Amino acid sequence: LLHRGGMLLGRLAREQGLRDLAEAAYRIAAQARPDLGSGHVALAGLLADRGAFREALAHLKVGLEQDPFLSEGWVPYARLLLQVGEEVEA
């Protein structure tokens, strides 16, 4: 329930422009179910938007390792890798 609630609250808060609340909700989702990639990928999007590229990459990596079929995570992962100079990894 914490994962699902965190994901729903995070999405709602992000749509309303409440970035700090969205980040907290996605962190709860990612911690509640670290075996699911969706919380990590959603959190990474917010982190990348505020310039925390390394932390965003770490969450994307974990999220995609846990759920490689989360297609919405692969393009941002490659873009962030290029942005931080990791061309080979991208």
Side-chain angles (χ1 to χ4, degrees):
L1 289 175
L2 282 173
H3 177 267
R4 184 72 179 138
M7 293 300 293
L8 291 171
L9 179 59
R11 185 177 311 129
L12 179 63
R14 189 172 191 173
E15 288 173 359
Q16 293 182 356
L18 304 169
R19 291 197 163 302
D20 291 338
L21 180 58
E23 183 178 331
Y26 287 143
R27 284 188 188 280
I28 288 169
Q31 288 179 347
R33 290 294 308 269
D35 59 316
L36 297 178
S38 57
H40 292 284
V41 171
L43 176 58
L46 286 173
L47 294 170
D49 287 348
R50 71 175 172 92
F53 301 130
R54 292 289 177 183
E55 187 179 1
L57 277 171
H59 280 284
L60 280 168
K61 184 175 182 174
V62 169
L64 292 172
E65 285 173 352
Q66 295 302 321
D67 193 350
F69 297 106
L70 279 174
S71 58
E72 67 268 17
W74 286 107
V75 171
Y77 184 57
R79 284 185 183 147
L80 281 176
L81 285 170
L82 291 172
Q83 195 163 359
V84 298
E86 299 285 340
E87 290 86 12
V88 173
E89 180 68 22

